[in-house]
Amino acid sequence: MGSDTTPTGTGWVYHDDFLRHNAAIDHPERPDRLRAIHQGLIDNGLLQELQQVSIEPLDDSEIMRVHTREYLATVDSSENRYLDPDTYVGEGSPSIARLAAGGVVAAARAVWNGSLRNAFGTIRPPGHHALWDRAMGFCLFNNIAIAACAIQADDRRAKVMILDWDVHHGNGTQAIFYEDSAVLYTSLHQYPFYPGTGAATEVGRAMGNGYTANVPLPAGSGDTEFLAAMETLLNDHGVTFAPDILLISCGFDAHRLDPLAGLEVSTDAFGEATRMAVRFADEICQGRLVSVLEGGYSTQVLAEAGAVHVRELLNASMGKTE
């Protein structure tokens, strides 16, 4: 199952085409988000340490492990219009979304097969709100769910844990795996807040009962609450599940400077959260960890927290973890 050797190297998923996904009017999910992360990696001397993952648009057959054929047709026929009040399809967005999904799947497979220790996907559009059959919350295709399904298609024994620390609950990812016992979906998020899901009572259904775990945090929660929630999800749920790979829906919008939310998390706490995730992956998953950008709408935060996050992934790939 996967590689039995200890791989090295941190992969980086990026393509200039991700900058072309753009609304006709000003929108918080904008190309400057990736430009900020890119510049932060350069300014901190990290970009040269990363191994860029070769990516291609994902074939529709892989996307349809998660999304319906009818939904793909809707996305393809919706250029230059909104699919909901928040979620736009710009010129070229359908192919860009396929490229983003392809990048996440390529990174997950590289980590799974032992070509890389871990990886970070700086992609657009994000994914964790997207449902089987509709767009939502800036998201077109559910990239992390597609990657989880790709790993399980390659190895049906694979157990996947998804850790979602975006400030908004990943309702799409939760719904996709709500009756699945081979994927553990875990989330910490502001609650009550958009999209309205993510109560602690939401724990899965049927075969998936007990394979969803939510830690809702009230507005104003800061580092202490955020890191305690991380501890709960990793140690109380993750250790018991014992996944083979850890996938992170990595939003930076729980930061106190984010303009769209109400948590008070610091940049340092994102560094500690990353270290906690890395330690968990080292102890449980043979180090296999793939992080995928979701939200985060302050360019300052994206530059700073993105660099902190990547530095910890690089430290792990070089054996410098605590």
Side-chain angles (χ1 to χ4, degrees), residues 1-225:
M1 183 180 293
S3 172
D4 293 327
T5 61
T6 302
T8 59
T10 294
W12 180 50
V13 177
Y14 174 79
H15 197 286
D16 284 342
D17 281 357
F18 296 155
L19 303 177
R20 296 196 299 108
H21 173 61
N22 208 359
I25 59 173
D26 189 36
H27 193 283
E29 205 295 282
R30 60 198 189 279
D32 282 349
R33 299 177 63 237
L34 294 200
R35 294 189 181 105
I37 293 176
H38 194 181
Q39 192 60 51
L41 296 178
I42 293 171
D43 292 346
N44 287 275
L46 300 172
L47 188 62
Q48 63 193 18
E49 302 297 325
L50 298 172
Q51 299 180 31
Q52 188 156 7
V53 177
S54 177
I55 66 174
E56 296 181 353
L58 196 63
D59 188 83
D60 284 358
S61 63
E62 299 215 65
I63 297 174
M64 286 189 292
R65 294 192 182 109
V66 168
H67 297 290
T68 66
R69 184 183 302 275
E70 293 75 17
Y71 174 61
L72 264 66
T74 297
V75 172
D76 287 339
S77 62
S78 300
E79 288 192 13
N80 297 314
R81 72 180 181 90
Y82 277 71
L83 291 176
D84 77 356
D86 299 314
T87 311
Y88 62 91
V89 183
E91 184 175 350
S93 290
S95 62
I96 297 165
R98 285 173 169 84
L99 186 64
V104 177
V105 169
R109 283 181 165 142
V111 170
W112 180 254
N113 293 327
S115 301
L116 295 167
R117 174 73 168 216
N118 53 46
F120 180 47
T122 50
I123 62 158
R124 299 177 60 249
H128 72 152
H129 294 307
L131 295 149
W132 306 277
D133 58 354
R134 70 183 168 100
M136 188 173 175
F138 313 160
C139 301
L140 295 182
F141 299 146
N142 197 309
N143 305 299
I144 208 156
I146 293 168
C149 290
I151 292 299
Q152 292 184 324
D154 293 347
D155 188 336
R156 60 183 178 82
R157 301 170 298 167
K159 296 168 64 179
V160 180
M161 177 176 176
I162 298 173
L163 171 64
D164 189 332
W165 71 47
D166 191 278
V167 77
H168 305 97
H169 181 246
N171 62 298
T173 314
Q174 174 175 291
I176 288 162
F177 297 115
Y178 206 58
E179 297 184 3
D180 192 331
S181 62
V183 175
L184 173 67
Y185 175 74
T186 66
S187 177
L188 58 95
H189 47 272
Q190 184 177 334
Y191 184 88
F193 197 45
Y194 182 90
T197 53
T201 53
E202 296 170 19
V203 297
R205 183 174 54 237
M207 293 293 292
N209 185 31
Y211 294 91
T212 292
N214 289 295
V215 180
L217 301 174
S221 298
D223 292 0
T224 299
E225 295 86 355

Side-chain angles (χ1 to χ4, degrees), residues 262-285:
L263 295 189
E264 299 289 332
V265 178
S266 70
T267 299
D268 287 345
F270 282 113
E272 178 58 26
T274 309
R275 286 189 290 274
M276 292 169 69
V278 162
R279 285 194 295 268
F280 174 86
D282 284 348
E283 293 170 5
I284 306 295
C285 313

